Amino acid sequence: MTNIDEDLANQSRAGAVLRLLLPYCLIMVSGVFWGLNTGIAKLAVNEGVTGAQIAFVQASVVFVGLAVLGAIWKEKIAFSRSLLIGSILTGIFGLGIPNMIAFFGVDFVSVGVISIIFALVPIFTLCLSLIAKTDRSSTIRVVGILLGLASVSAIIWGSSKFANRNNDIVWILLMLVSALGYAFRNIVFSKLPTVTTAPFYTSCTTFFFVALTAGITAFILNDPWTVFVSNPKAITYTMWMGVAMCIGMAAYVYTIRNYGPVVSSLPTYIVAFTGVVSGVVLFDERLPVAFWVALPFLCLSLYLVNLKPNKGV
């Protein structure tokens, strides 16, 4: 074999490895940027930005970003009644309200605990799928659901920081409602007619209604928009949240569009890990012993939940 043939063979092998690793790299990018959102949100709140304002600015940036990507990929989308209703439902109840709950709640709940609560989204998604009879149950998956709920409960109640503060417990419960909203979004979004043919534009329509919901809420609450003028850090942190979410969504949508849903569950692990690390690094959060004990069981539960009924452990 000549040197040229060897070079071509090496390039071919390198290309094959790259194609194999690319979807996992993109999903890691997606998970990291999503995971950073909670920590950045707390920084923005500390600068005087409200949860509704954060949700509005973030959704607006993502809306524009995904619209541009849809145009670059020359997606074609046919608007229909089902797409409109689905976008409204996911925009308001699946992302808009859950996002505002999360962003308002960062002032009361640690970033690490919020990130762990959101790790329940795949579990809640499976529960809703079973209720709607769009997925099948199995003993393994039921065990995963119970194990996940028990793990998160242990993490929450094992932290003495929240045990004696009733307001924080209320916000933790609201975070669980927020996670349930995200699960609802997953169910409805997967049924939208253009989710495979025009994923960027489909996601774009959802974020339009997220921005609309958050903007109306901010108007009703009479939020002080002057904070963005008087405090450069406020707009910087909020815009970075929009950019981070847009990059995360773009990487995720591109992966699902080109490689299928085979790696779609992986961001859950990365989001939780990134959120916990950002809480420790940015806010010097101290995690309870229960967290480290329950975390491996939570990861195991996510693995079991994502197993198909006809597969074993």
Side-chain angles (χ1 to χ4, degrees), residues 168-243:
D168 289 351
I169 295 298
V170 170
W171 276 105
I172 287 175
L173 294 176
L174 287 173
M175 291 297 174
L176 291 171
V177 173
S178 180
L180 186 61
Y182 292 139
F184 170 77
R185 181 259 179 189
N186 289 344
I187 298 295
V188 177
F189 186 78
S190 65
K191 302 300 179 184
L192 295 182
T194 55
V195 71
T196 55
T197 57
F200 286 114
Y201 278 152
T202 304
S203 300
C204 179
T205 57
T206 295
F207 277 95
F208 170 80
F209 289 103
V210 175
L212 184 63
T213 302
I216 292 174
T217 302
F219 176 78
I220 294 174
L221 297 178
N222 196 26
D223 288 345
W225 292 95
T226 52
V227 66
F228 292 116
V229 179
S230 60
N231 188 350
K233 287 185 178 180
I235 187 63
T236 299
Y237 290 142
T238 312
M239 288 297 294
W240 266 113
M241 284 192 66
V243 173

